[in-house]
Each structure stands twice: as C-alpha cells, then as structure tokens.
Amino acid sequence: MTVQELKTLQASGPQRGTSHGAELQHHIQCGADLPTLLMTTAHTTGDLSVLRNGWRPVDVLGVAQCNVSDEEKALIREECYRRLADHSKRGGQPPVRPTYDLLRGIGEWFLGSSIEPLIPLLAEELIFDGHDLRQPQWNKETIAPDRPFHVAIIGAGESGIIAAVRFKQAGIPFTIYEKNGDVGGTWLENHYPGCRVDINSFVYSYASAPRVWHDYFGLRNETLSYLQKVARDNGLYEHTKFGAEIAEAVWSDTEQVWRLTINSAGKTETVSPNMIVFAVGQLNRPKLPEIAGIDRFKGESFHSAQWNHNVTFEGKRIGVIGTGASACQFIPQIANVAAKVTVFARTATWLLPTPNLHERVEGSERWLFENLPGYAQWYRGSLLMLQTPGILEYVIVDPNYAASEQAVSESNNFVRQELQQWIEAQIAERPDLRDALIPNSPVGSKRILRDNGTWAKTLKRDNVAVVREKISEIITDGIRCADGNSHEFDVIVYGTGFHASKFLFPIKVRGANGCSLQDAWKDGARAYLGMTIPQFPNMFCMYGPNTNLVVHGASIVMFSELTAKYIVDAVRVMLEKGAATMDVREEVFSGYDRRVDEANRARAWGYSKVNSWYKDANGRVGQNYPFTATEFYQRTNAVVAADYRFGPVSTATER
C-alpha cells in the first residue's frame, strides 16, 4: 500500500464499512503484537490513556508480551482498532516524529523510569517521515570547500557501508577498499547451510534503511541483499575498489597522510588518504584449531566460513569440531542428510529460548508491518527498549556473593536456573546429553546462542553422536581422541571460529615516528572507545577492540551507526580547526583502557576460566564492551575536542 492509499484510507475512515477498514480490523484481531499495537495507537492518536498499567508488557527473554487473559487481549485489540478508526474518521494523519515527552510517556509505560537515559537514543532509532537524526547537519562545502581531504575506508561490510553513507552525506570524498568482489563483509563470506542472523532483523538493520523482513531472524541471502541494496541506493559501488587488499598502512610524518599499499589483481599500488577508517570487523579471518596432523586427513575438510558447496553430505560420515554460533546453525542442516554426524564438543554453550528464531514474517503480521503506519517502527522500538539494556546487570560479579563457575551473583544464578530448566526439559529422556548441553560456566561467560529447541532435538537424533573427549590428533581417515579411540569420517568440518583477537590482521600498520601497531598491541589490542590509539593520527577503527556486544546493546549495527557518526564528526572538528592531524591523548586513552579492563574483570566473561574467543592469548578480554549502551551513545554523540591532540598543516603538506 502506498502512502497516498494510506491517506485515502484514513480520510475515509474504516468505521464507514470500507474494505480497508474491515481489513485493518481483521489483521489487528489475527496478528497484532499487543505492545507494538498499543504504542502505535498511542503515538498515532497522541492519546496515552490507551497505555493502561494493567496492560503494561513484561520481558519474556528479550521479547515484550502483555501478560493478560485472552479476554483482555481481545479487549486491547478492540480498543486499539476503535481509537485508530476514530482517528481516521476525524481526518487524522499518519504518525510523525514523536516529541520527547511522547517518547517518554510511551517509554515509561513500556520500561518504567529506566527509560529516561534511553530516550535520545530511541529518538534516533525510530525514524518517521524520513527524518534521520544521525545524518550530518553540516557539509564540507560550507566548512572547508577548498581543502583537499580524502578518506580511505577499509572494508565494505555493514560498518564500512554506514561509514561511507555518512561521509557521502557530509560531502567528504572517500574510497572503499574491499578485498572481496562485492559488498557485504561477513554476510558475503559466510554461506554455510542455515546461516542467518542471531539478532532480530528488525534491529539488525540500519535505522535509516528500514525493511519488512521475510524472516524475523534474516537468512544470510536476505541479509546480504539488504546490505547490497543499501550500498546501491546510496551510490557506494561507484566509490568502491573491489579485490583490493590492504597489505600495509604507514603514516607519513612529513606529508601528514597515510600510505596504503594495496594488492589488487596481482599488482601493487600506493594511495595517500588523509584519514583511514578500518572497518574490517573482528570475525573475518577463519581460525583452524592447532591440532597435530591437521593436514593428514585424506577426506574433504574445510572451515565453515569457507564452505565447500561441491561436497555432498548425503549418506556420509561427518565429523564437526566446534559448537559455536555457526556450528549450531549448520549442524542441524547436515544432520538431516548425513549418515552420521559426530560433534566434538569440549564445552557447552548457554542457549537463549527464541521461539520465533526460524519463523517467517507473514500473514496478518506482515500486513500490519507493511500497512499500519508506525507499527514497524514501534516493533523495532519494543526490541530496542528491552535489548539495549539487556541483561548486563545479571552478569556483573557481586563481591558479596560466593562467585564460582556456576554463577557470579544471585541474579546470575537466577538466569542460570531459568535457562537450565528450559534445556533439561528437552532432554528428560536423554540424561546422557546433560553435560553437552548444560554449561559448567556462568551465564555470560561465553556467547549465548539463540535456540528454539532445534539444538537439543538435533543432538538427540539417532544419527548424531556427541564426543566430549579431547582430540589428540587428526589421522588419515578421521580423528583420534586422548582416550585412544579413533573415529572415521568422510568429511571434517571446522566450526572453530575466527582470529578474533588479531585486530586488523594481517595488515601491517605504522603510525607516527614509525610506531608499530603490532608492537603497541603486543599485550592486547586496545583503543579509546574502540576507535583511536595514541600515535596513530587520523586513524579510526569500527567494531574495534572492546566493542563486541555480549548480553546488551541491541545489535552491532546500532553500534556501527554510532561509531560512524562519531568518526564523521571527527572530520568536522578537524576541518573547523584547520587541523591536519588528530590523535587521542595518552592520558585519555590510558584512563579509559584501565576502566575497561577493571569492568571486564568484574563481568562473567572476565571472571570465568572457561575457554572463550572473548579473551586473547594473555587471558585479557579484548573484545567485549563492558558498559551500558547508553554510555556508548552519550560518548559517541559528538567528539570532545579536549580528548585529542591536533596538529597544524605542515609546510610539506602546504607545498
């Protein structure tokens, strides 16, 4: 339905017996999400009285639900339809950008008083009438039209795309260098069976580029096509050099530019941007396990991120090493066709019940997303208001609690018991699987995986076996374990993750005075706000050190949007100051770094001794962001110039 058709519908009024009115009533009765419907109604009519205390939603595993009787649910649907119909009859218009007070009123009903710090962030995330609050409100042409300034963005994944969009809006010349043949990053590279997002797609998407998804948790192909469409719609392909891999980045102290060495099509070239933005991600270089004889196996073997679609699994014996996020998606797929799948699982991972994990957006639900103005925005808002705070408070180590590998606080233990009961109910008849499904580590110590019961159902299959014994070596026809038992396979699949701790790997980076980034990070990768490092002028990272979201923050896409806004604002500050260089002050960097380390040690993932990709080789947590998403929003909303050193344009640069 077009905007004009919607206005016609509202002008005619559904209570006049129009088919549109009957259709709206039908779909509200059949498929409306009640908290979303109530907030949409309150916003559309401007009347908050529909948000009754008795209808306030409760948090059910990150999803808002009105915990009322069936009779009360019917009353909610009838009341919302009546109010929307009356609004249309009076000639009311579709909802526009909500005021601060309206956001507060709706947010307080939904979340309580804790909504207050989230209101500015929520205002940016819920876009009405195309009013994008994150779009730069300035342009280079008005600040420094004659000054040459070019940015190199390394990587065309979800973070590189949004950075490029913002640079283009600000009139800043840029070039994207992408090692692959198309945009999409991890969603281009990962194409294993069952690959999909594990964050609801209505949140795992740019606020400024909404989409009504085909699945609540988008499959890989739709996610990839979405990113490619955003790039096309914003004219980014014309600014991108594909098949261009950065080998080295060296700062020139005299010319105050970066020298990038680029390998492309067997040739090497050098470019000299004023600024570089590394948008290469944390999970983009596949990691094979360090197991003796890994090259000895005579059958087919590959990493899940390098899936070999020429290999057939029908009737074959498959060995899978690893039970992380990717493995939990592809193992159920291959178990449907393989003769036998043996899963080598040294540690178990906590599972978060997600009933709509594999559900399609269809029927009345889809109709409302596409036709009821404001409905899609408030559905996104409902997810954000719950998932942005998340369960961070439940994974903080309580110094007055006897913390252990079971739990780190009373509230952490409560979550453990809830998740454990859900898992144990699925394996009541298979107690032998308990150790493979119930982690011996606190909730939050490793990445929590979303599940709708598929994982336990897969492990219970007659053709699936779980091996907990440590692997000693790979042999020509399979895998030998430490207990001496050997397992024969036709195919081995490694679901063993990525070189998460090797940020910017394998690019060699040298900053001011020849300072090596690899040397600076020899004890672990660190960056102020995950973005900047002293002695590395005009260099920013996206999804850099300590920006990984674990149990809070809604989605990395939101963090990428906030990071992009900050980086573009840094260019504004430089241009307004007439500065050629900026790098973070050492004392600012060090103070933030100490606070990050202290906070991470006081989180379940820092306390626990369980093996996790959150930690580097030294045991330091270099990935996770330990603070609230609200703090990240506040600190990235605009650059604080006092945090940085600014250098004037040099004589060499002027020449």
Side-chain angles (χ1 to χ4, degrees), residues 37 47 54 60 83 89 101 125 138 163 165 181 184 259-260 304 313 387 394 454 460 483 491 555 571 620 630 640:
L37 178 64
D47 184 357
V60 181
R83 290 181 180 234
K89 183 178 181 180
D101 288 333
E125 288 287 332
W138 60 276
V165 168
R259 300 293 190 195
L260 299 184
S304 63
F313 294 92
Q387 296 176 15
Y394 293 89
T454 299
K460 289 190 295 183
D483 61 2
V491 181
S555 86
V571 176
R620 176 183 176 270
T630 303
V640 177

mmCIF file of all heavy atoms in Angstrom, residues 37 47 54 60 83 89 101 125 138 163 165 181 184 259-260 304 313 387 394 454 460 483 491 555 571 620 630 640:
data_model
loop_
_atom_site.group_PDB
_atom_site.id
_atom_site.type_symbol
_atom_site.label_atom_id
_atom_site.label_comp_id
_atom_site.label_asym_id
_atom_site.label_seq_id
_atom_site.Cartn_x
_atom_site.Cartn_y
_atom_site.Cartn_z
ATOM 1 N N LEU A 37 1.122 -2.758 19.046
ATOM 2 C CA LEU A 37 -0.159 -2.165 18.678
ATOM 3 C C LEU A 37 -0.533 -1.032 19.630
ATOM 4 O O LEU A 37 -0.987 0.040 19.196
ATOM 5 C CB LEU A 37 -1.244 -3.232 18.675
ATOM 6 C CG LEU A 37 -2.669 -2.765 18.352
ATOM 7 C CD1 LEU A 37 -2.744 -2.220 16.929
ATOM 8 C CD2 LEU A 37 -3.657 -3.916 18.545
ATOM 9 N N ASP A 47 -2.813 10.087 22.220
ATOM 10 C CA ASP A 47 -3.538 9.870 23.475
ATOM 11 C C ASP A 47 -2.919 8.690 24.215
ATOM 12 O O ASP A 47 -3.067 7.533 23.800
ATOM 13 C CB ASP A 47 -5.013 9.608 23.164
ATOM 14 C CG ASP A 47 -5.859 9.478 24.426
ATOM 15 O OD1 ASP A 47 -5.297 9.526 25.539
ATOM 16 O OD2 ASP A 47 -7.086 9.321 24.286
ATOM 17 N N GLY A 54 -2.474 -1.933 33.674
ATOM 18 C CA GLY A 54 -2.763 -3.359 33.638
ATOM 19 C C GLY A 54 -2.353 -4.024 32.345
ATOM 20 O O GLY A 54 -2.292 -5.258 32.270
ATOM 21 N N VAL A 60 9.829 -11.179 28.372
ATOM 22 C CA VAL A 60 9.941 -12.633 28.281
ATOM 23 C C VAL A 60 11.110 -12.946 27.364
ATOM 24 O O VAL A 60 10.970 -12.987 26.132
ATOM 25 C CB VAL A 60 8.635 -13.274 27.760
ATOM 26 C CG1 VAL A 60 8.788 -14.794 27.693
ATOM 27 C CG2 VAL A 60 7.458 -12.883 28.636
ATOM 28 N N ARG A 83 -9.871 3.231 18.451
ATOM 29 C CA ARG A 83 -9.171 4.517 18.517
ATOM 30 C C ARG A 83 -8.545 4.876 17.171
ATOM 31 O O ARG A 83 -8.566 6.038 16.755
ATOM 32 C CB ARG A 83 -8.110 4.482 19.617
ATOM 33 C CG ARG A 83 -8.704 4.449 21.029
ATOM 34 C CD ARG A 83 -7.604 4.449 22.081
ATOM 35 N NE ARG A 83 -8.163 4.407 23.422
ATOM 36 C CZ ARG A 83 -7.879 5.275 24.393
ATOM 37 N NH1 ARG A 83 -7.042 6.289 24.138
ATOM 38 N NH2 ARG A 83 -8.404 5.149 25.597
ATOM 39 N N LYS A 89 -11.415 8.725 11.059
ATOM 40 C CA LYS A 89 -12.691 9.396 10.765
ATOM 41 C C LYS A 89 -12.571 10.903 10.922
ATOM 42 O O LYS A 89 -13.188 11.674 10.165
ATOM 43 C CB LYS A 89 -13.771 8.846 11.689
ATOM 44 C CG LYS A 89 -15.156 9.426 11.419
ATOM 45 C CD LYS A 89 -16.190 8.797 12.333
ATOM 46 C CE LYS A 89 -17.573 9.367 12.044
ATOM 47 N NZ LYS A 89 -18.618 8.767 12.917
ATOM 48 N N ASP A 101 8.458 14.336 24.957
ATOM 49 C CA ASP A 101 7.500 13.980 26.000
ATOM 50 C C ASP A 101 6.664 12.769 25.609
ATOM 51 O O ASP A 101 6.322 11.932 26.460
ATOM 52 C CB ASP A 101 6.592 15.168 26.311
ATOM 53 C CG ASP A 101 7.319 16.268 27.065
ATOM 54 O OD1 ASP A 101 8.292 15.948 27.773
ATOM 55 O OD2 ASP A 101 6.927 17.441 26.941
ATOM 56 N N GLU A 125 16.649 6.112 16.710
ATOM 57 C CA GLU A 125 16.386 4.797 16.129
ATOM 58 C C GLU A 125 15.022 4.703 15.459
ATOM 59 O O GLU A 125 14.831 3.882 14.559
ATOM 60 C CB GLU A 125 16.492 3.725 17.228
ATOM 61 C CG GLU A 125 17.916 3.448 17.692
ATOM 62 C CD GLU A 125 18.716 2.677 16.661
ATOM 63 O OE1 GLU A 125 18.119 1.914 15.883
ATOM 64 O OE2 GLU A 125 19.946 2.844 16.622
ATOM 65 N N TRP A 138 25.940 19.143 8.556
ATOM 66 C CA TRP A 138 26.947 20.052 8.012
ATOM 67 C C TRP A 138 27.481 19.431 6.727
ATOM 68 O O TRP A 138 27.211 18.260 6.432
ATOM 69 C CB TRP A 138 28.088 20.259 9.009
ATOM 70 C CG TRP A 138 28.799 18.966 9.366
ATOM 71 C CD1 TRP A 138 28.416 18.054 10.312
ATOM 72 C CD2 TRP A 138 29.975 18.426 8.745
ATOM 73 N NE1 TRP A 138 29.281 16.982 10.327
ATOM 74 C CE2 TRP A 138 30.249 17.184 9.387
ATOM 75 C CE3 TRP A 138 30.827 18.866 7.727
ATOM 76 C CZ2 TRP A 138 31.333 16.394 9.035
ATOM 77 C CZ3 TRP A 138 31.915 18.068 7.369
ATOM 78 C CH2 TRP A 138 32.159 16.851 8.025
ATOM 79 N N ALA A 163 29.526 3.900 7.350
ATOM 80 C CA ALA A 163 30.518 4.978 7.393
ATOM 81 C C ALA A 163 30.535 5.726 6.061
ATOM 82 O O ALA A 163 30.553 6.965 6.018
ATOM 83 C CB ALA A 163 31.904 4.418 7.709
ATOM 84 N N VAL A 165 28.124 5.939 3.851
ATOM 85 C CA VAL A 165 26.877 6.702 3.701
ATOM 86 C C VAL A 165 27.002 8.056 4.386
ATOM 87 O O VAL A 165 26.647 9.104 3.817
ATOM 88 C CB VAL A 165 25.688 5.907 4.289
ATOM 89 C CG1 VAL A 165 24.447 6.805 4.404
ATOM 90 C CG2 VAL A 165 25.373 4.691 3.433
ATOM 91 N N GLY A 181 34.879 -9.452 -3.841
ATOM 92 C CA GLY A 181 34.360 -8.966 -5.111
ATOM 93 C C GLY A 181 33.035 -8.252 -5.014
ATOM 94 O O GLY A 181 32.471 -7.839 -6.039
ATOM 95 N N GLY A 184 29.288 -6.542 1.614
ATOM 96 C CA GLY A 184 28.572 -7.495 2.467
ATOM 97 C C GLY A 184 29.384 -8.066 3.598
ATOM 98 O O GLY A 184 28.829 -8.593 4.556
ATOM 99 N N ARG A 259 50.089 6.183 3.888
ATOM 100 C CA ARG A 259 50.499 5.487 2.672
ATOM 101 C C ARG A 259 49.949 4.060 2.749
ATOM 102 O O ARG A 259 50.384 3.255 3.578
ATOM 103 C CB ARG A 259 52.025 5.439 2.549
ATOM 104 C CG ARG A 259 52.706 6.795 2.498
ATOM 105 C CD ARG A 259 52.377 7.556 1.227
ATOM 106 N NE ARG A 259 53.214 8.762 1.075
ATOM 107 C CZ ARG A 259 52.960 9.738 0.238
ATOM 108 N NH1 ARG A 259 51.878 9.663 -0.542
ATOM 109 N NH2 ARG A 259 53.749 10.789 0.149
ATOM 110 N N LEU A 260 48.986 3.784 1.893
ATOM 111 C CA LEU A 260 48.388 2.458 1.880
ATOM 112 C C LEU A 260 48.950 1.657 0.715
ATOM 113 O O LEU A 260 48.877 2.096 -0.440
ATOM 114 C CB LEU A 260 46.871 2.546 1.738
ATOM 115 C CG LEU A 260 46.092 3.270 2.840
ATOM 116 C CD1 LEU A 260 44.593 3.162 2.569
ATOM 117 C CD2 LEU A 260 46.430 2.720 4.210
ATOM 118 N N SER A 304 33.966 -23.658 8.319
ATOM 119 C CA SER A 304 32.579 -23.286 7.994
ATOM 120 C C SER A 304 32.498 -21.958 7.251
ATOM 121 O O SER A 304 31.558 -21.737 6.474
ATOM 122 C CB SER A 304 31.738 -23.214 9.270
ATOM 123 O OG SER A 304 32.216 -22.206 10.146
ATOM 124 N N PHE A 313 26.846 -34.341 1.431
ATOM 125 C CA PHE A 313 26.832 -34.955 2.757
ATOM 126 C C PHE A 313 25.910 -36.176 2.822
ATOM 127 O O PHE A 313 25.922 -36.904 3.816
ATOM 128 C CB PHE A 313 26.372 -33.928 3.794
ATOM 129 C CG PHE A 313 27.334 -32.782 3.975
ATOM 130 C CD1 PHE A 313 27.200 -31.615 3.235
ATOM 131 C CD2 PHE A 313 28.377 -32.879 4.868
ATOM 132 C CE1 PHE A 313 28.084 -30.570 3.392
ATOM 133 C CE2 PHE A 313 29.272 -31.838 5.038
ATOM 134 C CZ PHE A 313 29.127 -30.679 4.298
ATOM 135 N N GLN A 387 16.356 -4.853 24.654
ATOM 136 C CA GLN A 387 17.660 -5.447 24.362
ATOM 137 C C GLN A 387 18.822 -4.478 24.516
ATOM 138 O O GLN A 387 19.969 -4.908 24.636
ATOM 139 C CB GLN A 387 17.643 -6.041 22.950
ATOM 140 C CG GLN A 387 16.665 -7.187 22.799
ATOM 141 C CD GLN A 387 16.569 -7.726 21.382
ATOM 142 O OE1 GLN A 387 17.417 -7.452 20.536
ATOM 143 N NE2 GLN A 387 15.519 -8.495 21.109
ATOM 144 N N TYR A 394 22.877 -8.655 35.092
ATOM 145 C CA TYR A 394 22.849 -10.041 35.556
ATOM 146 C C TYR A 394 24.194 -10.757 35.396
ATOM 147 O O TYR A 394 24.334 -11.891 35.845
ATOM 148 C CB TYR A 394 21.777 -10.823 34.794
ATOM 149 C CG TYR A 394 20.366 -10.374 35.089
ATOM 150 C CD1 TYR A 394 19.771 -9.356 34.353
ATOM 151 C CD2 TYR A 394 19.623 -10.981 36.097
ATOM 152 C CE1 TYR A 394 18.471 -8.943 34.614
ATOM 153 C CE2 TYR A 394 18.323 -10.577 36.369
ATOM 154 C CZ TYR A 394 17.754 -9.550 35.629
ATOM 155 O OH TYR A 394 16.468 -9.137 35.895
ATOM 156 N N THR A 454 15.863 -26.503 18.503
ATOM 157 C CA THR A 454 16.473 -27.262 17.403
ATOM 158 C C THR A 454 17.760 -27.958 17.827
ATOM 159 O O THR A 454 18.032 -29.091 17.396
ATOM 160 C CB THR A 454 16.756 -26.332 16.207
ATOM 161 O OG1 THR A 454 15.534 -25.785 15.742
ATOM 162 C CG2 THR A 454 17.454 -27.061 15.079
ATOM 163 N N LYS A 460 19.749 -35.208 19.808
ATOM 164 C CA LYS A 460 19.020 -36.423 20.190
ATOM 165 C C LYS A 460 18.774 -37.354 19.005
ATOM 166 O O LYS A 460 18.287 -38.474 19.194
ATOM 167 C CB LYS A 460 17.677 -36.048 20.827
ATOM 168 C CG LYS A 460 17.804 -35.433 22.213
ATOM 169 C CD LYS A 460 16.465 -35.300 22.912
ATOM 170 C CE LYS A 460 15.528 -34.349 22.228
ATOM 171 N NZ LYS A 460 14.255 -34.184 22.993
ATOM 172 N N ASP A 483 41.598 -40.462 24.647
ATOM 173 C CA ASP A 483 41.322 -41.763 25.268
ATOM 174 C C ASP A 483 41.747 -42.929 24.384
ATOM 175 O O ASP A 483 41.548 -44.097 24.738
ATOM 176 C CB ASP A 483 39.842 -41.881 25.611
ATOM 177 C CG ASP A 483 38.928 -41.774 24.380
ATOM 178 O OD1 ASP A 483 39.462 -41.644 23.264
ATOM 179 O OD2 ASP A 483 37.692 -41.797 24.557
ATOM 180 N N VAL A 491 34.130 -36.632 5.836
ATOM 181 C CA VAL A 491 34.270 -35.176 5.789
ATOM 182 C C VAL A 491 34.473 -34.652 7.203
ATOM 183 O O VAL A 491 33.841 -35.133 8.147
ATOM 184 C CB VAL A 491 33.011 -34.502 5.185
ATOM 185 C CG1 VAL A 491 33.195 -32.989 5.116
ATOM 186 C CG2 VAL A 491 32.692 -35.071 3.807
ATOM 187 N N SER A 555 22.196 -4.407 18.975
ATOM 188 C CA SER A 555 22.869 -5.024 17.835
ATOM 189 C C SER A 555 24.123 -4.246 17.491
ATOM 190 O O SER A 555 24.231 -3.048 17.760
ATOM 191 C CB SER A 555 21.941 -5.096 16.613
ATOM 192 O OG SER A 555 21.986 -3.894 15.864
ATOM 193 N N VAL A 571 35.960 14.436 11.580
ATOM 194 C CA VAL A 571 36.374 15.186 10.394
ATOM 195 C C VAL A 571 35.880 16.623 10.484
ATOM 196 O O VAL A 571 36.614 17.571 10.148
ATOM 197 C CB VAL A 571 35.853 14.505 9.112
ATOM 198 C CG1 VAL A 571 36.216 15.341 7.886
ATOM 199 C CG2 VAL A 571 36.429 13.099 8.978
ATOM 200 N N ARG A 620 43.436 -11.678 28.542
ATOM 201 C CA ARG A 620 42.744 -10.392 28.661
ATOM 202 C C ARG A 620 41.528 -10.369 27.741
ATOM 203 O O ARG A 620 41.569 -10.858 26.614
ATOM 204 C CB ARG A 620 43.677 -9.240 28.277
ATOM 205 C CG ARG A 620 42.986 -7.879 28.287
ATOM 206 C CD ARG A 620 43.906 -6.758 27.844
ATOM 207 N NE ARG A 620 43.165 -5.495 27.770
ATOM 208 C CZ ARG A 620 42.537 -5.039 26.695
ATOM 209 N NH1 ARG A 620 42.584 -5.743 25.580
ATOM 210 N NH2 ARG A 620 41.875 -3.893 26.721
ATOM 211 N N THR A 630 23.872 2.907 26.653
ATOM 212 C CA THR A 630 23.554 4.325 26.823
ATOM 213 C C THR A 630 24.825 5.144 26.969
ATOM 214 O O THR A 630 24.947 6.236 26.393
ATOM 215 C CB THR A 630 22.659 4.531 28.055
ATOM 216 O OG1 THR A 630 21.476 3.742 27.909
ATOM 217 C CG2 THR A 630 22.280 5.993 28.201
ATOM 218 N N VAL A 640 34.616 15.083 21.657
ATOM 219 C CA VAL A 640 35.093 16.049 22.653
ATOM 220 C C VAL A 640 36.515 16.429 22.252
ATOM 221 O O VAL A 640 37.443 15.623 22.378
ATOM 222 C CB VAL A 640 35.061 15.446 24.074
ATOM 223 C CG1 VAL A 640 35.630 16.440 25.087
ATOM 224 C CG2 VAL A 640 33.635 15.045 24.451
#
